[in-house]
Amino acid sequence: MLTVPSVSSPNFVDMFVLFVSVIAALRHSCRWFSTTPGAQGGGKWRKENGLARSGSEYGPLTDLPDWSFADGRTAPPMKGMLRRRGEREEMARRIVMLSSEMDRGIESWLERKEDAQRIEEHKKSLLLKPKGKLLKKKDAHS
């Protein structure tokens, strides 16, 4: 039967001190390293040349299947390929929706502008018109 030493026992204290010293020794002997790059290299150049920020966003290496059958049939779509396809379809739907909203907005703006112009012309037509000498004077100048 396995027994757990009590905190007050000398065996436990010795084991704890040994454990702490081993951890301290390992901490000083290990080198910490990171597997991610500090900065993505070449992103600015790719963007300036009309490419994706990284090589894994789109292109033949990510869009085409990794393998095909010997008889020429393509491989079934991978999970990532299906996810990217779904994201692209969702983005296309959103673009179409926003484009149609913009078209409706422009149409309603033009209608409001035409209505305002018609109201302005109607107000001008209701103004008093020159009569008598003023009308003759206006015709003489034109």
Side-chain angles (χ1 to χ4, degrees):
M1 183 169 159
L2 182 65
T3 60
V4 178
S6 67
V7 176
S8 62
S9 72
N11 194 13
F12 179 79
V13 174
D14 292 339
M15 287 175 56
F16 182 74
V17 169
L18 179 65
F19 176 74
V20 169
S21 63
V22 167
I23 295 296
L26 284 175
R27 187 169 5 124
H28 293 296
S29 68
C30 290
R31 247 183 94 181
W32 294 98
F33 65 94
S34 174
T35 58
T36 58
Q40 183 72 25
K44 182 179 176 185
W45 179 87
R46 287 190 200 100
K47 203 170 192 180
E48 289 172 355
N49 289 298
L51 301 172
R53 287 177 302 171
S54 69
S56 63
E57 287 184 11
Y58 59 85
L61 293 178
T62 54
D63 295 337
L64 296 178
D66 293 337
W67 56 277
S68 63
F69 291 102
D71 61 358
R73 291 180 293 148
T74 60
M78 302 284 219
K79 196 182 292 186
M81 189 182 297
L82 293 174
R83 178 184 47 81
R84 285 188 295 274
R85 185 183 300 161
E87 288 172 356
R88 288 183 188 134
E89 287 175 359
E90 184 180 330
M91 181 67 72
R93 278 191 216 99
R94 183 165 167 77
I95 289 170
V96 168
M97 180 195 66
L98 292 174
S99 176
S100 64
E101 283 183 15
M102 286 291 295
D103 292 343
R104 285 194 305 267
I106 289 172
E107 288 173 5
S108 66
W109 176 74
L110 288 174
E111 288 174 6
R112 285 194 306 263
K113 189 176 174 183
E114 289 172 0
D115 289 342
Q117 189 176 6
R118 269 190 248 119
I119 290 171
E120 187 68 29
E121 288 174 2
H122 181 69
K123 285 181 180 178
K124 283 183 181 179
S125 70
L126 294 177
L127 292 176
L128 296 174
K129 310 233 180 341
K131 295 183 178 157
K133 293 180 183 177
L134 291 176
L135 182 63
K136 290 180 182 176
K137 205 184 276 187
K138 188 175 181 184
D139 288 339
H141 289 295
S142 33

